[in-house]
């Protein structure tokens, strides 16, 4: 069975891979073996292979933003799936995306439109079977999962991470005051923080710098994985179906 996770950007990829490693034992093994995907750093795209103790393989792809899911799927995944014959005919594919200001129904319809006709059955946070006839006549079975973050409110991945960090009252106050700082400075920093999603990223960045000032000048990846997210009930609820990949 071929297992694939598509997410928006590298921050999502880092968090998902960290979480799956700690909770389910998936380990990074390098670049994909079955797909040729070459990206430049500016594209904010990446594709990495993981393997578990059973030697199952998982490909996690950062597609470069929520508007790129359709193009990425059609360019890199659709052809290998449709060309299946005597080879792989069983797939388990998950797509992780931010809710932002959209409704779940709007996101479901958008993803359904972008991935059709391969994916024709979608429901948030539920694995659904999809069946398609490949180009050479093989019957392809695809279990598909949509994970909209957060599950219950508007926002993005950063919203979930800050909710997880806020379970500690002391840290919750820092998260709140970091948000207030960004709101206060935003009118004078509109060149850099001109969208609500960027305000969330800036708020999380400020909070991280306070939580661990010695890592302020470290790469964001280092600061992100310095938190034991596997202990978070918030993340466990968010990824309860994804870990079944």
């Amino acid at each position: 069975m071929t297992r694939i996770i598509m997410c928006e950007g590298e921050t999502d990829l880092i968090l998902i891979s960290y979480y799956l490693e700690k909770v389910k034992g998936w380990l990074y093994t390098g670049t994909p073996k079955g797909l040729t995907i070459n990206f430049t750093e500016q594209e904010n795209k990446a594709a990495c292979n993981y393997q578990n103790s059973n030697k199952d393989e998982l490909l996690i792809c950062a597609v470069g933003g929520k508007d790129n899911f359709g193009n990425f799927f059609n360019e890199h995944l659709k052809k290998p799936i449709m060309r299946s014959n005597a080879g792989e005919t069983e797939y388990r594919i998950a797509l992780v995306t931010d809710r932002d200001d959209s409704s779940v129904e709007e996101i479901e319809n958008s993803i359904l439109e972008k991935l059709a006709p391969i994916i024709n059955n979608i429901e948030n946070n539920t694995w659904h079977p999809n069946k398609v006839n490949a180009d050479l006549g093989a019957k392809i079975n695809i279990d598909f999962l949509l994970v909209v973050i957060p599950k219950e409110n508007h926002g993005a991945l950063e919203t979930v991470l800050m909710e997880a960090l806020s379970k500690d009252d002391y840290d919750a106050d820092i998260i709140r005051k970091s948000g207030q700082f960004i709101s206060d400075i935003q009118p004078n920093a509109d060149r850099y923080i001109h969208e609500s999603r960027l305000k969330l990223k800036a708020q999380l960045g400020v909070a991280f710098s306070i939580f661990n000032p010695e890592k302020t000048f470290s790469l964001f990846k280092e600061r992100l994985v310095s938190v034991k997210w596997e202990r978070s009930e918030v993340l466990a609820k968010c990824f309860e179906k994804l870990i079944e990949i």
Side-chain angles (χ1 to χ4, degrees), residues 175-213:
I175 293 286
R176 182 183 63 80
K177 290 179 178 177
S178 296
Q180 186 60 55
F181 169 73
I182 296 301
S183 295
D184 291 343
I185 201 174
Q186 195 271 336
N188 297 316
D190 189 62
R191 179 189 301 179
Y192 308 106
I193 312 174
H194 52 273
E195 297 177 5
S196 57
R197 67 180 185 87
L198 296 179
K199 290 180 66 175
L200 287 173
K201 292 179 183 296
Q203 180 182 358
L204 181 60
V206 169
F208 270 157
S209 294
I210 296 171
F211 292 148
N212 200 337

Side-chain angles (χ1 to χ4, degrees), residues 140-183:
I140 309 301
N141 298 309
I142 303 173
D143 285 337
F144 184 82
L145 173 71
L146 173 66
V147 179
V148 178
I149 300 177
K151 291 179 65 175
E152 299 170 352
N153 304 300
H154 288 167
L157 176 65
E158 291 79 11
T159 308
V160 173
L161 298 183
M162 287 188 284
E163 180 184 351
L165 293 167
S166 295
K167 292 302 179 181
D168 179 282
D169 290 341
Y170 187 90
D171 291 345
D173 191 49
I174 293 174
I175 293 286
R176 182 183 63 80
K177 290 179 178 177
S178 296
Q180 186 60 55
F181 169 73
I182 296 301
S183 295

Side-chain angles (χ1 to χ4, degrees), residues 36-164:
T36 302
I37 305 178
N38 298 312
F39 301 130
T40 65
E41 185 176 337
Q42 289 74 23
E43 290 181 283
N44 190 28
K45 299 178 183 178
C48 302
N49 239 43
Y50 299 82
Q51 191 177 84
N52 62 16
S53 58
N54 296 323
K55 304 302 181 183
D56 299 321
E57 292 197 351
L58 167 65
L59 174 66
I60 305 181
C61 305
V63 305
K66 68 187 311 175
D67 294 332
N68 292 334
F69 282 119
N71 289 337
F72 184 94
F73 185 81
N74 289 325
E75 183 176 350
H76 298 292
L77 302 178
K78 182 178 179 179
K79 288 182 179 179
I81 291 173
M82 293 302 290
R83 288 174 180 169
S84 298
N85 42 56
E88 185 63 83
T89 59
E90 301 287 336
Y91 290 82
R92 204 158 175 80
I93 301 176
L95 187 152
V96 182
T97 186
D98 291 339
R99 180 191 294 256
D100 292 325
D101 296 322
S102 301
S103 70
V104 169
E105 183 179 7
E106 289 172 332
I107 295 171
E108 289 173 342
N109 291 335
S110 174
I111 297 299
L112 194 61
E113 181 180 353
K114 291 175 180 178
L115 305 190
I118 306 298
I119 303 301
N120 48 65
N121 196 1
I122 287 179
E123 181 182 355
N124 184 39
N125 208 43
T126 303
W127 285 101
H128 270 295
N130 291 261
K131 298 183 182 298
V132 63
N133 294 322
D135 292 339
L136 299 178
K139 303 293 184 181
I140 309 301
N141 298 309
I142 303 173
D143 285 337
F144 184 82
L145 173 71
L146 173 66
V147 179
V148 178
I149 300 177
K151 291 179 65 175
E152 299 170 352
N153 304 300
H154 288 167
L157 176 65
E158 291 79 11
T159 308
V160 173
L161 298 183
M162 287 188 284
E163 180 184 351

